[in-house]
Amino acid sequence: MKDFSTLQVENDHDGVCWIKFNRPQKYNAVSFRMYDELYLALELADGDPQTKLIVFTGNGRYFTSGNDQNNITDPESMDRRNAFRKLVDILIEIKKPLIALVNGPAVGMGVTMLVHFDLVFASDTATFSTPFTNLGLCAEGTSSYMFPRIMGYSKAAEMLMFNRKFSAQELLDCGFVSRVFPHSLFEAKSKALIKEYAQLGSRALVEGKALIRYKEFRETLHRVNERESRVLDDLYTSPEAMEAVMKFFSRKSKL
């Protein structure tokens, strides 16, 4: 197993690869280094014949707080601003079932990435928010296409355009989340189901996913991902986005 510094990656005896966001002191914010480790962890898991399921969760109180805002000040920020686009392109093509255990708040890309998972389990204390327009930005990760199809146009607009924070129960009711468990039972209940799923035939799982996420559907998602990324590229340098970044670092300096 490769050494990871921002993730915990473990393969269990049931054929499950566990990928855990592991920057709890930073609310599991996704740095450029974590992106690189995510690319590698997913490549290794999807290519491992012993792996049946790939499961994501977070270490600590958060699932993930989204992109690390310190990425903005990284010298590589201009060259790496499509780091999430690359992750989404990888997620679209993962052949094995992806399951997310949302153990706490999910923010930004921590929400939009979930549309590429086959199951999403959530703690009843989890919340889901995409405050893009607060930052002068827009939808990402194919959320402009997938959110309306999953939760309906009105709720998608509330989340993507008007920054509404949703509870786990609300997203269960509209089909975005598969199951919600009480927080005290979340880990045990989720792991019991995953252990059960790991007993299913690996080829049947892969072929079943390929039928649901067929080639033409995946091609559409890649086009949407590229289109959203183009718009984001324009917005990153807009006065609104620059002002939002300055406000963020001003607030941070006063803490």
Side-chain angles (χ1 to χ4, degrees), residues 29-237:
V30 181
S31 62
F32 287 139
R33 179 157 191 173
M34 186 184 282
Y35 272 118
D36 289 336
E37 293 189 359
L38 285 167
Y39 306 153
L40 178 59
L42 284 165
E43 177 187 355
L44 292 173
D46 209 39
D48 183 355
Q50 302 303 313
T51 297
K52 287 185 176 182
L53 306 172
I54 304 171
V55 179
F56 273 67
T57 192
N59 185 14
R61 291 197 308 114
Y62 273 64
F63 179 64
T64 171
S65 58
N67 279 310
D68 189 334
Q69 293 302 309
N70 288 316
N71 289 349
I72 298 167
T73 60
D74 190 299
E76 296 182 352
S77 62
M78 292 302 290
D79 294 330
R80 298 294 308 274
R81 62 185 176 184
N82 282 322
F84 182 57
R85 175 185 171 182
K86 180 178 176 179
L87 178 63
V88 170
D89 280 334
I90 291 171
L91 288 170
I92 290 169
E93 294 298 330
I94 293 294
K95 297 178 176 61
K96 294 172 181 175
L98 285 164
I99 302 174
L101 307 187
V102 184
N103 55 299
V107 182
M109 56 76 66
V111 180
T112 57
M113 69 183 288
L114 296 176
V115 300
H116 305 293
F117 283 67
D118 304 291
L119 294 174
V120 178
F121 298 164
S123 160
D124 63 354
T125 64
T127 56
F128 301 78
S129 58
T130 58
F132 299 136
T133 54
N134 278 341
L135 299 172
L137 302 176
C138 68
E140 60 176 22
T142 76
S143 57
S144 65
Y145 180 83
M146 291 294 289
F147 276 26
R149 284 158 178 76
I150 296 171
M151 63 177 71
Y153 178 84
S154 181
K155 283 187 170 58
E158 278 193 292
M159 179 173 273
L160 293 173
M161 295 165 57
F162 300 105
N163 307 305
R164 179 181 167 190
K165 181 187 293 185
F166 283 80
S167 69
Q169 185 61 49
E170 287 173 318
L171 291 194
L172 176 68
D173 292 342
C174 69
F176 189 91
V177 167
S178 313
R179 303 201 188 204
V180 174
F181 299 116
H183 188 70
S184 61
L185 302 174
F186 177 65
E187 184 175 352
K189 291 276 191 181
S190 298
K191 285 186 173 180
L193 280 173
I194 288 166
K195 188 175 183 65
E196 180 182 326
Y197 299 154
Q199 307 311 308
L200 301 171
S202 55
R203 182 176 177 186
L205 287 169
V206 168
E207 295 295 346
K209 177 170 180 171
L211 288 171
I212 296 171
R213 293 180 176 264
Y214 53 94
K215 180 181 178 183
E216 292 78 10
F217 177 66
R218 299 196 309 276
E219 289 173 345
T220 296
L221 293 182
H222 285 301
R223 288 195 296 271
V224 173
N225 192 29
E226 192 275 334
R227 182 171 68 242
E228 290 174 346
S229 296
R230 281 203 315 269
V231 176
L232 279 167
D233 279 348
D234 289 337
L235 289 175
Y236 277 132
T237 55

